[in-house]
Amino acid sequence: MQTRRSFLKQATWLGAGMAFGARMFAQSAQGQNAQVAPAPAPVPDRVQQFRTAGATTPIQVTKLRDTLFLLQGVGGNMVAQTGPDGKLLIDSSAATAAARLRDTLRQLAPHPMKLLINTHWHYDHTDGNAALHDDSGAFIIAQENTRKRLSTPQEIAFFHLKFQPSPNSALPQQTFIDKEILYYNNDELDLVYMPTAHTDTDIYIHFVNGNVIHCGDIFFNGFYPFIDASTGGTINGMIRGADACLAVADDKTKIVPGHGPLGDKDALQKYRDMMAMIATKVEKLKGSGQSLDQVIAAKPTADFDAVWAKGPMKPDQFVELVYSTL
């Protein structure tokens, strides 16, 4: 018999894999209604839908600074940096978006593609790794756990998604443990590991001179986030990650979320506070001995749903993730 929670998972998360397309999240953030399918597609079909969308979805470009650009297509938000050292890109979208992505980058500046940074291992951020490495010569950098996960079979249990190891050309050629500093295109880039956040592979990237932070999936702007407990994610790690990004931001910092519209320090602070207050409520209920079903029935997100329940992750699902990672 299908449980209420499994039905919610199936009815909400549709389309391309985890349904992490930027257009879908932008629409959700604006309060538009997502379509609901009668039954979930098999995992290979979901991945194929993501890649099919990658081949046809336009890439929207937003200028952040003179040499920094936000790119939004399918998958997670990307940031491109241009300059004399060559182009740098954060995250790689779908493999099928590679040609469109190369054309977009070519229009930004004539410099060759040199570096690719992955914010974490999830395929909506890394599926294009091999294409950008093989066709553009991109050298890939990530936290060491990203390489470990991409090179071995993985499962995102919450969505029943299983993945085979990625090809060698998709794997990061350089990894780090806690922090890496790059001096590139007349800027300092601080790559900082945030353990047990969205996964156990997450980093944020701070363009120090450009005053831009790419938070990856530590930050979902405008809606409840997904936390991948099966690969090391926790709600408290998400809160710590948001705190770390806030600590290096100021009122003029442009903050790029993994999904959703461009944010700023105020948006990230509101997101962090929402997570912390819900986590406190759930922890208190769980600590009193209440089961997951009882905690869900208590509606600990009720005060926040009007603002934060507009995305694919519904309140009961978010409560389940918070409960399971406390």
Side-chain angles (χ1 to χ4, degrees), residues 167-188:
N168 286 336
S169 58
L171 303 180
Q173 284 86 50
Q174 179 176 329
T175 64
F176 63 95
I177 298 175
D178 296 318
K179 183 175 183 179
E180 184 82 1
I181 299 177
L182 303 179
Y183 296 96
Y184 201 75
N185 287 326
N186 302 312
D187 204 341
E188 175 185 331

Side-chain angles (χ1 to χ4, degrees), residues 32-55:
Q32 298 182 16
N33 293 325
Q35 294 181 347
V36 178
V43 170
D45 288 349
R46 293 183 177 189
V47 175
Q48 187 57 49
Q49 287 171 3
F50 169 72
R51 290 174 176 158
T52 298

Side-chain angles (χ1 to χ4, degrees), residues 199-309:
T199 66
D200 63 6
T201 68
D202 297 278
I203 64 171
Y204 72 80
I205 300 94
H206 181 204
F207 295 85
V208 176
N209 297 335
N211 200 13
V212 170
I213 301 172
H214 194 318
C215 295
D217 281 4
I218 295 167
F219 182 23
F220 287 65
N221 192 12
F223 37 86
Y224 292 132
F226 169 58
I227 304 169
D228 185 4
S230 59
T231 61
T234 67
I235 182 60
N236 285 328
M238 290 285 277
I239 296 166
R240 288 191 295 269
D243 283 337
C245 293
L246 287 166
V248 296
D250 60 36
D251 292 340
K252 295 182 180 180
T253 306
K254 296 187 177 182
I255 302 180
V256 177
H259 301 279
L262 179 65
D264 56 17
K265 188 172 184 178
D266 182 64
L268 181 57
Q269 184 69 58
K270 290 176 180 176
Y271 168 80
R272 182 265 178 211
D273 292 344
M274 172 273 294
M275 291 193 296
M277 286 185 278
I278 291 175
T280 297
K281 290 184 177 184
V282 173
E283 185 173 34
K284 182 176 180 180
L285 293 168
K286 184 176 181 179
S288 69
Q290 294 194 32
S291 68
L292 173 59
D293 286 337
Q294 289 174 319
V295 174
I296 289 175
K299 302 293 183 183
T301 67
D303 293 339
F304 304 90
D305 289 346
V307 174
W308 297 96

Side-chain angles (χ1 to χ4, degrees), residues 47-77:
V47 175
Q48 187 57 49
Q49 287 171 3
F50 169 72
R51 290 174 176 158
T52 298
T56 58
T57 302
I59 296 174
Q60 178 181 341
V61 178
T62 302
K63 185 175 181 179
L64 303 176
R65 308 293 185 202
D66 286 344
T67 61
L68 291 170
F69 303 86
L70 168 63
L71 309 183
Q72 294 174 296
V74 298
N77 289 332

Side-chain angles (χ1 to χ4, degrees), residues 302-318:
D303 293 339
F304 304 90
D305 289 346
V307 174
W308 297 96
K310 297 175 182 177
M313 183 61 63
K314 301 309 177 187
D316 289 359
Q317 293 175 304
F318 184 54

